[in-house]
Amino acid sequence: MNSTIKIILFFLFLCLCFGTDDKKFKKCSQSSFCERNRKVKENGRNSIFYIDPKSININLEEQLFQAGLNRHSERTPLLALSISSVNQGIIRININEIDPDLNRYQVEGILETEQFHYQPIKIVSQTEEYIILRFGEENLKKEDYIYLQLFFNPYWKINIFNWKNEPIISINENHLFNFEMDQKDYLKSSKVAKEKEKENEKEKDKDKEKETNKQKETKDKDQPDYKEKFGKFTDHQPYGPSSVSLDITFLNTNHIYGIPEHTTKLSLEDTEDGEPYRLYNVDILEYETESRMSLYGSIPVILGKPNNENTMHGVFWFNPSETWVDISTEKIKKGNKQREINKITEENENENENEKQNQNKKRTITSKRTHWMSETGVIDLFVIVGQENEMYDVFEKYSSLTGLPYFPPYFSIAYHQCRWSYKTQKEIQKLNDQFDEYDIPVDAFWMDIDHTDGKKYFTFDKKTYPDPKKLSKTVAEKGRKLVTIVDPHMKKDTNWELYKEAKEKKYLITKYNSDQPYEGDCWPGKSSWPDFLNTEVLEWWISRFSYEKYQGSTDNMFIWNDMNEPAIFGGPEMSIPRDTRHFNGKIEHRNIHNSYGLYVTKGTFEGLIKRNEDQNERPFLLTRSFFAGSQKYCTIWTGDNTANWDQLKYTESMLLSLSLSGAPLCGEDSGGFLNTPDAELFTRWFQTSAFHPFFRSHSHTETKRREPWSYGEPYTSIIRKAIKDRYTFLPFYYTQFYKASTKGKPIMRPLWLVFPRDQDTFNEQVENFSYMVGSSLLISPISEKNQKKKNVYLPKGIWHDFYTLQKFQSNGQYYKINTPLEKIPIFYHGGKIIPRKLRTRRSSDFMKNDPITLFVFLDENQQSSGSIFLDDGHSYDFTKLKKYTHQKFIFESNKLFTKSYHLNYKTLRIERIIIANLIKNPNQVIFNNSQLQFVYQEKDQILTIRNPKDLFVGENWEIIFD
Amino acid sequence: MLIFFFGTLNSQTDQSFFQIFSDQQMFCFCKGFILFLTSLIVSSYCCQAAIVGIDPSLASHYSDPKTFTCLDNSKTIPKSYVNDNYCDCEDGSDEPGTSACPKGNFYCHNEGLLSKSIPSSRVNDGICDCCSGEDEVSGKVKCTNTCKELYLDQISDQLKEQEIQEEGYKLRLEIRKETNEKKQYLQEQIEITKEEYEKAEQESEKMSEKQQVCEKWIYAQKKNRKKVLKKMIQERLVSKNMEIANSEEKNDKDFCFLHKDPKIKKITKEFKNLFFGAAKKELEDLKKKIIREKSSMFTEKRNKKTEKEKFEKIGDLDLGIDNEFYYLFDNCIEYKENKYTYEVCPFDKVTQKENGNTYKLGNFKQWGELTNQESDSDNDNENENENEKKNAKANKEQMEFTGGDKCWNGPNRSTTVLLKCGLKNEIKNVQEVSICKYQMTLLTPIVCEKPKNKITIPDLTTNQEKKNIHDEL
């Protein structure tokens, strides 16, 4: 064992010692602001804010509604409430101090503000109690307007209405709104202060002592010295408490989703009896399932699926400081609320009658209340109102706020081979040969921390990786790529030019009480962290990726940002102290913590673009830490999971949660990072992982080496099949990725997203442990040892078994499916057309010119459709030069034909068309006035068109089944 | 080759004679015949020239001019479907020459030199998988024919290998002679050392007896002297007492000054001398001498025992034909890599030194591979008998060393030593295959084998050249 491993092991040991230990990470009770905000109601009437109608102001030019928020104890408003609609269907609610002692941090560089189209505001009505606003252009359809009702007193409250004038989201309904503004607040709310007050009361008579107490208070005020202790760590809070909190209720909603990253089940659970969901990016080793503890990344987004609508509404709490979210369920009899609705619009008589009828039924309505608590910053809330019967509308709208997912290069959606670490260049060269030897396709080999010279990123170890360019060339000959790791920690090594420069130019995050860089331990030992928030630093980081500066890198290498929470060994909660400073001491880290990882990836992403002169190559980047907006720059993986069945089981809900929260490009370490899986677990893991958006095998340095062939037969063959299956689906996946990058649509979907009317799809087992890819494939992973059969729920419709094409005509029922080791249940969805490439080669690049096989699955009405997107797979030519093909295949009225959105890329031959559930055996199949060869199997009602001549993707055509 | 050629003909006898001579086949036959005369290598695949990529041993399946039945017998298709770049057979057998079938294979003839099968997916993928370049005809890439070089390389590697094997085998035979000579010696040594050990044991027993006697004697001596002294003192006291008692001037004081009595003084002095002085030293020395003798006797006994055990161990070891592996006994081999120095002492232990720290990487456990159970638990006495049995058959190209120093937060270190033929004992490489699990390759003549088929440099004149020669003839 060499000494570097020993060091790693040492740190690892540290991690191991504490990773599983809850005590290493805060509970709500250990986080003073969480505790305070959970009990905010105890502060009484004086802490409640109301609106003085006189303060209302509508800025028509900026399309901004403004009002002042007053405390009952004070006459002048302290806070400004601004409401606007930044895009059609999106309301922004912003609350900030009017005259702050210290300007509160407002996030920069994340919102897609240039995409905002502010909607006109119209006052519908105003009374002494409330005001009703309408958002939207004058000529909109009735259902496209959004109505908002703002109540003034005794506390401010907002109701937002859908197209039917039903309230869908209510804000501050439970008046949990809190906005801590100065130390005085802190004293008042803290127990210490209460005790002090009690003492004061007791000692009313003793004037002298009272005076001294007063003096003490003023002294405190002059020299504030707030500290919060956690374990051996002290967090200095020179600006005092400044937390914000608000409750948001999803009305008439049973299921809400989002706020990744957690290991809980998909549907968010009530937290009243325990810990709130926590969002604070930390490096947890050996995380556990079913936990609301925070993990590596956070997306403060919650989506609600209203009970009586086929749509989704969402809220985006735009605050990157530590955030806790309490969830509770509220059941109320239909009543009061409904009356409020009826007042709302001008023309709603019909609805009135409907409502009255409904009211007669007197049912109970379930609502989900979310209580958001953030350590600092402002309240900047976006409420997204989904369109009727548009389940995916919410994703598109959310993307208009934080950006659409990036469109990764083709290779990156294929299989990746990783390990901590392939220690030498030779090892990777050997892998490059072995994958051919075992006839398993692979697209990228990954180089973990040990490839660097002493964990100084942007370098290669001269001994173990003497010629990275040659290595890159060797793998490129087989169409494969390399991915190197670049972590944000910088080794404190004054002989290293990069560190020297960063220190001299003051690019590093500084200590709370001096302008010296903060230092902590990470892989290289003592390290510092660049201040990625500073645009100058970001530019500097971007420049480091040039081929000239990143010596040894090539255009065939891509990047992996790890440890960007940032992770710090022995730091508070394994991360950086909150009191460290950005922007040369101006901004406390606590303000930005959850977004640090995002800025790292933002710099890296742009570095990858700018390293090429034409800036025309699409980057591939993987990250562990993330925030809302990360989807613009990178693919996310779920960090250091463990090789056990439980973790395999919960992988799906973790990935689905990310997919629903605007981060559809995600995956996990196939096989589990920590510990060594047994052959069965390893095999089962690959079978489901092969259908996840991002597919990479990774393992810890202490585990047994595991490549797809490590377990011998029969496992190697089964794993080979799983990987090859993925390769056959690449044209379909690539199209899904394209859709994600244009509409924000998730690639991996819970069944209910595709079948929202089917209540069974919300069933815990169905929702958490099976998923759809696009709306075409249903995957039901096997995540239990020795499971020979699985009950699989198939929503109503036609389904075809992936392995045999056997037809299942489901009424929305469970099927007992045999699951020998070679199989996990996979079904094609009737009504969908899927383009595949059945010839699998060494790498996806080697398959780019291979012909397509179209799989056409007809629904009950003998109809089907599906699409394909084709381009060069690596450049921005598809947007810059519009060099792409996007085509729809449609089967209806016994015809299969194309509908082309855009045809400007080379054509691909179609070698085979398989049509399943074709009830009538046609006499002839005609294309271009000539008959095509075909075979029809009566038994399975499957027609196969054999080797049609001159049939191409990228051309318009029609095939008639006569 | 001849047999094969006629074999091909025979396989077609069930069909019409004319069919054989129809068109292509006729041409083929003729061409094949000519080539057969000119080059034996080429004739082996000539007749299937029309069907690209088939393995000659399967050629007969493709001989029907009208239909083809998939090799898995799943269906029969028109002959025109063979190699039409569309996969009809599940097993891929209809597309031996294209990439259409996911499960297909393409046969590289490689001019009969290094023929092999490759997956169909490698056909026209831009990489020259066959040294002949047969797999790349689409023009995506221009392959240079490297078969000859490759073959020569391989041959020269094999020749080198062969040379080493031959040379090494000679050495091995010599070593065998020596070890065989030592066989007798070793056998004898087992006896001799056993005898010597027994002798030593007997002598040490005798010595023990002697010591006991001696000690008894010394004890007796001491005891005796004490007795004598006591008696003398008593006598003197009695007489003095009497003297005092008899004296008229009875003075109690006198009793108190007995010790001043010159006679008693003398006795005391004698006593002191006996127990603390020269006389005592004499006895002590005697005792020490005995102990010394005894301990050297014990050391000898121990040495004899080690010796005996060593030879017994050698006796128990599977040392192969003529005890040849005795050659590796007591023969430690060192290897330096970066800052580490490794040392392998076959049949004993493996160590690693780094900056003055020495770690044991394992004690010799057995020949051949460990089963999983064994690698987990090092002290499995129950299986010992089984192990012995296994050892008898175990392959002698691998030694397992287990139960080394425990890794910090990891398993006990262990090492696998692979023995490969070489002209002298040396370690070729060391790898840490997984955490704290090492693998070393040890080159030694003792595993060199007599080359079975002697490779000779073949005649690699190309077919064309041969033809030219033929024409000239």
Side-chain angles (χ1 to χ4, degrees), chain B residues 206-220:
Chain B
K206 266 184 209 162
M207 194 66 210
S208 292
E209 274 168 35
K210 202 174 157 190
Q211 186 198 11
Q212 270 178 16
V213 173
C214 209
E215 271 176 5
K216 248 182 216 165
W217 179 78
I218 292 171
Y219 181 72

Side-chain angles (χ1 to χ4, degrees), chain A residues 647-660:
Chain A
Q647 295 241 339
L648 170 58
K649 197 171 178 183
Y650 278 84
T651 297
E652 317 307 336
S653 48
M654 286 180 81
L655 296 181
L656 285 170
S657 173
L658 278 166
S659 300
L660 290 174

Side-chain angles (χ1 to χ4, degrees), chain B residues 345-439:
Chain B
C345 299
F347 304 111
D348 187 12
K349 65 186 177 199
V350 182
T351 54
Q352 178 200 51
K353 279 179 206 153
E354 181 204 0
N355 306 330
N357 295 328
T358 304
Y359 300 99
K360 195 185 267 185
L361 303 188
N363 291 316
F364 178 72
K365 169 86 177 163
Q366 66 181 66
W367 283 112
E369 265 175 79
L370 293 172
T371 62
N372 280 339
Q373 266 186 336
E374 281 168 328
S375 57
D376 288 346
S377 60
D378 291 331
N379 304 319
D380 225 340
N381 290 327
E382 288 169 40
N383 289 335
E384 227 160 61
N385 287 334
E386 273 177 49
N387 283 345
E388 272 170 29
K389 271 182 218 162
K390 220 179 293 153
N391 275 347
K393 288 179 221 153
N395 94 53
K396 301 230 173 31
E397 281 164 4
Q398 185 172 340
M399 282 183 178
E400 290 292 344
F401 294 80
T402 58
D405 290 332
K406 193 162 162 51
C407 261
W408 191 84
N409 201 27
N412 285 353
R413 291 172 174 83
S414 64
T415 307
T416 300
V417 176
L418 302 174
L419 281 67
K420 298 268 188 269
C421 173
L423 295 182
K424 59 176 183 191
N425 290 344
E426 62 179 326
I427 294 170
K428 195 178 157 200
N429 58 47
V430 177
Q431 269 181 296
E432 193 179 343
V433 281
S434 61
I435 284 284
C436 298
K437 215 168 155 32
Y438 296 83
Q439 186 177 304

Side-chain angles (χ1 to χ4, degrees), chain A residues 44-45 72 196 212 235 290 296 325 333 492 530 546 622 676 858 935 940:
Chain A
R45 189 178 150 82
H72 283 279
K196 253 186 194 172
T212 44
D235 174 24
E290 300 247 25
Y296 310 94
V325 186
K333 293 257 166 70
K492 186 194 175 187
S546 74
L622 182 74
T676 300
L858 301 182
V935 187
D940 300 322

